[in-house]
Each structure stands twice: as structure tokens, then as C-alpha cells.
Amino acid sequence: MSNNSFKTLDKQWDYIPKEVIFCKNCVVSNQRPRTTFNSDGICSACQWALEKDTKIDWEKREHELQILCDKFRSRNGSFDIVVPGSGGKDSAFVAHQLKYRYKMNPLCVTWSPFEFTEIGWKNLNEFVNSGFTNILGQPDGKIHKKLTKLAFELKGDAWEPFAYGQKAWAFHIATKFNIKLIMYGENGELEYGGSEKYKNLCKEGPEEWEHEYYKGASVDDLINKGLEKKIFSKEEVKEKTFELYKPPHPEEILKSGAEMHWYSYYNKWTPQENYYYAYKYTGFRTNPRGRSEGTYTKYVSLDDKLDGIHWYQSYAKFGMGRSSRDAQTDIRRGHITRDEGIALVEKYDGEIPKRDLKFFLNYVDISEEKFWDVIDKYREISNVWKKVNGKWVMNYLPKRTSNF
Ligand SMILES: [Zn+2]
């Protein structure tokens, strides 16, 4: 396949503006899919961050959560709420709050990372040992590796097979155990920029699940491509092979009466505070190796050996990697200034995640040459990279307002 004929399966690509614009308050650009800006040039996530501090009546929302919990609370000691997570700071915070503050009986569920990091595995065990039941879902490794390889190349995001399962696993468990309430952590589209459709809503309806998980059908696209490329054999792809990568059919969900809510609707979402909380109550610890590759933080997203590749691919496609994401969040919560954030982006965003890369090449069994070939294909169709004297140069970085 020549570079010119390269076509990604990432459908978001068609809607990304050619002209790159950065938020005036943080370091996100309009290359992040679905992010919108107001007339002052402020991104939707920054506007929401301000509203969280000034407009939202959090006491009222907490009251709503109490009513919700009262409605679904079990009277006989059975599990009454599914909390998906990894034992990381955010899900640990949510599960602990629901159990001890709202007196619910959570059944926690983890869709396994590609491979646990040492600290990720330790944190999950500490979390379970602090008083939680957890169901760990591990998909067929052979199939998972093949899907990952396809997603890396065709979607520009090796991480996607994890994302499919992460969403679906909670629904499968809720349906099997007849639990009607599922509590996710944050509404990512709202917190990090994206669709504002659910801005003032506590939950997503089943009609959206159909829209998101079936019409998009990204997992089916990958399977079909895998068959085409003979990565999957016909014998491997049976009707039920990929069941856990897709949520139960919307009709089944509607019939079961299950509801999926976001904790970030009811409680002001501040990742740094979740960290302090999880440190205190569920034994969560930061990475003893120090900061994660590609960023300056050491407590964000520590569980998976493949995370670095996910963020590096985002850097190749949109010009924003792991450090950019961490800086965006920290600026919005007032932990750092915009200029400090820009300095951190300049310093860490382009760092090659060497440890994760070594793991990844081995995991999907490709050469490093092939890895860079795919990365370059995405740089070529991106709006942020330029080739200068045979070398790729990042053409767009947010500009500082002072000489920090
Ligand atoms: Zn912003």
C-alpha cells in the first residue's frame, strides 16, 4: 500500500478542520475530534470547567444522587450497582464513595488492560483488598492481539479493542447479574472536550448506545478488514467470537431496565482530588518509576503497558499526546498556568514511549520499521506535521503569552 492510497477507517477524520486553532485558555486544539470553541476562542471543556466552579448547584446534584441510590439500593445484600474500573484513582474513588457514603453494594468490573503494569496490578489488588468484589474480564489473547494490530494500522489507535470491551463489559455483567444501575466515572466528552449533547444530563440512553455502538460498528469494520487481509480465519470469526466487544443488544438493555450514569454529573470531577482520596482509602500508589513516558505526571493512567502507544498515535494524528492531555486537565483545574502547560507540552509531548514501544512491538509482532511506517502514514494525512529536509516536524504548537 503506498502512502497516497492510505485510507484510515477512522471516520472522525473527515470532520477535522484543516486550519489548526488552539484554545485561548488551555492547550487543546480544534484537531481533537468533536471539540467546539465559543466566539472568544475558548474550548468547550474549559467553558465547562468554569461552569463547574460557578454555575452548577452541586448540593442539588448530590441530592439527586441520593434519590437515585435509594431507588436502586438492594434490600437483601445483593449487588445493586456495577462500577467499571481498573483500580486506578478515578474508579477507586467512585466505588468507595458509593459504598461508604451512599451505602450501595457495588460489584466492580475490570476489562483487562493489554498487559498490566506492575504498579497497575498492585493498585488493583490493593483496591480489592480494601473491601471490593471485582470481576476481571480477560479476552482471548490471540484474537485481542489481532484486533489490536488491525486497530493500530487502520484506526490509528492500537488501544481501541480495550475501549470497546471497557464499555461493553459492564453491560454484560449488569445483564447477567440483573443489576439495574451502572456508574461510570467521568463524562469524557464533557470533561475533555467533545460532544455537549449530555452536558446537563446524568445518563446516556439506550438509543444512543445503538447509535454509538452499532451504526459506528467499528469493531465489525475491523473484523471484516481482518478477514480481507487474512489476519482472521473464517473459523475464528463466529457470531459469538466478538460478543464481549459489543454491549448487549439495545432491546435487551431496554428490557432489563439498566441505566448508565456518570458520577461526574453528581460530583465535581477533579482527578487530583480523586488521587488524594484513593491514596488514603484504597491503597492507590503512584508510579515508583517516576513520571510516565511522554508526560510529566505519575498518577494518571498507570495500569496498561500499551497506554504510551495510544497517546503517541494521538500525537501523530492530532498533534496532541499524553502531556497535552494532562496539561489541559491541570490548567482547567487551576493547578498550572497556560504557559506552564505549554512548556510541559514542548518538553514531553513528543517523547517516544520507549518502554511501551518495546512491549507493543512484541505484543503485536511487528518490526519497529513497520511501526514507524504506520505512524508516518498518519503524520502524512494529519494537519499538524510537515516534512522538512526528510524529517517530520511538528508544525503547530500552542503559543505562549509571556516568556515563561
Ligand atoms: Zn480549553
Side-chain angles (χ1 to χ4, degrees):
M1 195 192 294
S2 83
N3 283 348
N4 292 337
S5 70
F6 175 64
K7 263 207 159 65
T8 174
L9 286 177
D10 186 344
K11 287 173 190 137
Q12 306 171 111
W13 210 269
D14 303 339
Y15 306 100
I16 294 175
K18 292 270 173 274
E19 192 194 340
V20 184
I21 294 168
F22 282 91
C23 172
K24 291 209 165 80
N25 186 65
C26 74
V27 291
V28 84
S29 81
N30 61 353
Q31 300 297 289
R32 181 179 157 85
R34 302 179 303 283
T35 286
T36 55
F37 290 77
N38 69 9
S39 55
D40 295 326
I42 308 290
C43 78
S44 56
C46 284
Q47 294 169 54
W48 168 239
L50 186 68
E51 281 182 43
K52 275 159 76 174
D53 288 337
T54 54
K55 281 197 186 147
I56 306 296
D57 184 346
W58 291 108
E59 264 178 45
K60 183 171 161 268
R61 288 198 175 184
E62 202 208 327
H63 185 62
E64 287 175 42
L65 178 57
Q66 266 157 0
I67 292 170
L68 181 77
C69 288
D70 286 345
K71 182 178 163 195
F72 287 95
R73 186 174 293 111
S74 129
R75 312 279 169 218
N76 63 2
S78 61
F79 295 115
D80 49 22
I81 187 164
V82 170
V83 181
S86 61
K89 63 182 184 0
D90 296 332
S91 50
F93 163 72
V94 171
H96 196 276
Q97 284 266 303
L98 286 167
K99 181 165 179 170
Y100 291 101
R101 189 164 164 194
Y102 296 97
K103 310 291 179 216
M104 298 298 281
N105 191 11
L107 176 59
C108 300
V109 295
T110 300
W111 178 251
S112 178
F114 295 91
E115 189 165 301
F116 274 101
T117 59
E118 213 175 301
I119 185 67
W121 183 241
K122 196 165 178 287
N123 279 331
L124 179 62
N125 283 297
E126 288 292 326
F127 169 72
V128 168
N129 290 335
S130 75
F132 292 92
T133 303
N134 188 54
I135 299 182
L136 175 63
Q138 291 183 291
D140 177 327
K142 251 189 198 169
I143 298 279
H144 207 56
K145 283 178 188 205
K146 289 180 180 185
L147 266 186
T148 305
K149 192 176 185 168
L150 285 162
F152 165 68
E153 190 169 347
L154 299 172
K155 301 291 296 284
D157 189 0
W159 192 67
E160 275 215 5
F162 171 76
Y164 301 144
Q166 190 190 32
K167 194 90 176 172
W169 185 231
F171 290 107
H172 286 290
I173 297 295
T175 315
K176 299 247 182 319
F177 283 82
N178 196 24
I179 299 171
K180 311 283 184 212
L181 188 55
I182 302 170
M183 188 64 80
Y184 274 86
E186 78 274 45
N187 175 352
E189 290 287 294
L190 190 55
E191 293 290 327
Y192 309 119
S195 163
E196 290 188 285
K197 189 168 175 195
Y198 291 96
K199 189 168 179 181
N200 288 308
L201 297 174
C202 55
K203 60 176 178 181
E204 248 181 354
E207 67 283 0
E208 274 311 300
W209 302 338
E210 174 156 37
H211 172 71
E212 278 180 37
Y213 306 128
Y214 290 91
K215 294 216 183 61
S218 6
V219 67
D220 288 331
D221 287 350
L222 281 185
I223 298 163
N224 290 335
K225 282 282 172 194
L227 281 168
E228 215 175 274
K229 287 170 166 270
K230 300 203 174 359
I231 288 177
F232 286 123
S233 68
K234 278 211 177 92
E235 293 73 51
E236 266 176 325
V237 183
K238 301 211 171 69
E239 202 197 327
K240 295 281 182 185
T241 308
F242 297 93
E243 199 181 9
L244 294 182
Y245 291 91
K246 304 169 190 178
H249 195 274
E251 266 179 33
E252 205 185 318
I253 295 173
L254 268 176
K255 215 168 72 194
S256 78
E259 295 185 11
M260 189 230 91
H261 291 241
W262 292 289
Y263 201 76
S264 65
Y265 169 84
Y266 300 105
N267 186 290
K268 185 152 73 165
W269 193 253
T270 310
Q272 200 177 72
E273 280 170 23
N274 296 352
Y275 161 60
Y276 294 130
Y277 186 97
Y279 187 94
K280 190 171 171 189
Y281 295 107
T282 70
F284 178 82
R285 291 296 175 268
T286 58
N287 199 343
R289 289 172 183 251
R291 68 175 179 86
S292 303
E293 292 178 309
T295 187
Y296 58 95
T297 61
K298 53 179 184 174
Y299 62 73
V300 183
S301 196
L302 302 180
D303 335 303
D304 197 335
K305 287 189 181 172
L306 205 125
D307 263 15
I309 302 302
H310 165 64
W311 288 112
Y312 198 76
Q313 285 201 279
S314 161
Y315 181 63
K317 287 162 88 178
F318 311 121
M320 289 173 284
R322 192 166 185 170
S323 183
S324 171
R325 162 61 79 84
D326 287 341
Q328 290 161 31
T329 310
D330 283 345
I331 292 166
R332 286 175 200 137
R333 294 311 318 149
H335 303 318
I336 57 173
T337 66
R338 183 172 189 269
D339 282 358
E340 282 167 343
I342 291 172
L344 291 164
V345 167
E346 287 170 350
K347 189 163 179 194
Y348 295 115
D349 228 22
E351 184 180 45
I352 298 164
K354 289 207 185 88
R355 276 198 306 264
D356 290 11
L357 178 59
K358 203 173 150 209
F359 162 76
F360 178 67
L361 297 179
N362 188 38
Y363 183 83
V364 292
D365 193 22
I366 57 167
S367 67
E368 187 166 349
E369 201 186 350
K370 168 77 180 170
F371 174 84
W372 289 111
D373 180 50
V374 171
I375 292 288
D376 287 351
K377 279 176 181 163
Y378 281 94
R379 281 175 167 153
E380 195 135 334
I381 59 169
S382 87
N383 300 319
V384 292
W385 291 92
K386 212 177 170 178
K387 217 166 194 179
V388 182
N389 299 327
K391 273 194 162 177
W392 287 108
V393 177
M394 167 63 68
N395 218 20
Y396 291 94
L397 280 168
K399 293 203 171 43
R400 301 180 200 201
T401 42
S402 65
N403 293 319
F404 170 78

